[in-house]
Amino acid sequence: MSPGCNPVSEPQTASVNGLPEYGDSYIDWKGWSRDSFGQLSSRDRATFDREMRALLGARAQQALRVLELGFGLGSFLTYARQRGWDVAGTEVADELVAAGRQAGFDAIHADNLATLPPASFDMIAGFDVIEHIPPNEVIPLFALLRRLLRPGGVIFLRYPNADSWLGNQNFYGDPTHVNAMGHFKLDYFCQRSGLAIVALRPEARLGFDGGVAKGVHALIAGPLIRLIAGIAKFLYFPRSRIVLGSANVVAHLRAALRDEGGTR
């Protein structure tokens, strides 16, 4: 620090079990407050509907035990509860944990994640979380998540796409993002923690569920984006599962079979 500079509170401090702790300045910057905790917009609902159908299929209609990593303002917690799922969530900010508990959720501080009993969850979800985890802490975290999965359980991750320039704004637009995640890097982490990649795909596009403007854009630009991304993938990565035409990537993971290798 240069002489004469006034220190300010850092938005990210030490990490707890692979999940970074945030200062008040970060929460204020995000615009998170208890007053809006647990609110579920129609756009969020449409997003979660599409993602969960793609992940779970018919299982989405069952009574599931679900864990969300980094629940933030709790919109997915509300969604899961409204679906009849038994949902718990972790956060690193005491203020958000308190808000979750006040709203009646099983809100757990991230430093207690390892105390949860094995084989407790049918699904573990992390919306925009993995990019906050330092790379050297991902393998222990993934191994822990594998231990928490029930047989047949699945892990859902959404994160900025480090394999495409389209992900740059999402990744570099947040000062607490420390882990740019691409396909090969995710595969490395999974192989060394007992997980396997089931699916790697663009995030769900809402179309007209996201409003008229979003719908028109998807109708006109969507086919062009898919065409350009498909050509680029064919030319440069013909044998890879890499995703090029999306700012965010969604990964579906599960416990790996003993003789299962990589997914390149």
Side-chain angles (χ1 to χ4, degrees):
M1 180 180 298
S2 301
C5 291
N6 292 323
V8 296
S9 58
E10 294 292 336
Q12 180 179 344
T13 58
S15 63
V16 179
N17 286 335
L19 301 173
E21 290 186 291
Y22 306 128
D24 292 340
S25 61
Y26 180 78
I27 294 176
D28 292 341
W29 177 70
K30 294 287 285 187
W32 290 346
S33 70
R34 289 193 181 191
D35 294 337
S36 55
F37 189 89
Q39 292 181 4
L40 179 64
S41 68
S42 58
R43 181 174 178 177
D44 285 340
R45 184 188 301 278
T47 296
F48 296 147
D49 275 341
R50 289 181 180 227
E51 297 292 11
M52 294 301 103
R53 281 198 300 267
L55 175 71
L56 299 169
R59 291 186 67 195
Q61 307 303 319
Q62 301 175 7
L64 303 177
R65 174 67 170 156
V66 174
L67 174 68
E68 183 183 11
L69 304 176
F71 57 74
L73 275 185
S75 59
F76 184 74
L77 295 181
T78 296
Y79 173 83
R81 183 160 65 182
Q82 290 181 359
R83 291 209 66 137
W85 297 341
D86 181 11
V87 61
T90 68
E91 255 300 342
V92 296
D94 292 336
E95 178 181 350
L96 296 176
V97 173
R101 291 172 179 172
Q102 185 175 354
F105 292 106
D106 184 8
I108 305 161
H109 198 279
D111 58 6
N112 294 322
L113 181 63
T115 68
L116 296 175
S120 296
F121 299 99
D122 301 294
M123 190 261 286
I124 299 173
F127 289 88
D128 312 320
V129 169
I130 195 64
E131 61 269 26
H132 296 272
I133 313 301
N136 65 314
E137 298 182 14
V138 173
I139 292 175
L141 176 63
F142 275 13
L144 173 57
L145 298 184
R146 184 187 186 279
R147 182 177 67 84
L148 294 176
L149 282 179
R150 289 174 174 172
V154 291
I155 296 172
F156 172 98
L157 297 177
R158 185 183 70 187
Y159 51 87
N161 186 5
D163 288 326
S164 170
W165 66 269
L166 294 172
N168 285 349
Q169 180 176 342
N170 288 349
F171 182 78
Y172 292 109
D174 189 315
T176 67
H177 289 177
V178 297
N179 191 1
M181 186 67 69
H183 166 231
F184 295 118
K185 193 173 181 180
L186 179 66
D187 184 63
Y188 172 86
F189 289 143
C190 286
Q191 286 193 51
R192 281 149 185 80
S193 57
L195 294 174
I197 300 174
V198 177
L200 200 68
R201 58 175 178 78
E203 65 180 333
R205 302 185 188 277
L206 292 182
F208 285 97
D209 286 337
V212 175
K214 287 280 188 181
V216 172
H217 180 270
L219 192 63
I220 297 174
L224 183 60
I225 292 171
R226 289 191 290 272
L227 176 62
I228 294 173
I231 292 173
K233 186 175 185 299
F234 174 76
L235 291 175
Y236 297 105
F237 308 100
R239 298 181 180 179
S240 171
R241 297 170 69 177
I242 193 172
V243 175
L244 295 178
S246 178
N248 288 323
V249 170
V250 165
H252 301 174
L253 313 177
R254 61 166 170 78
L257 303 176
R258 288 186 178 182
D259 59 348
E260 198 161 18
T263 59
R264 295 189 174 208

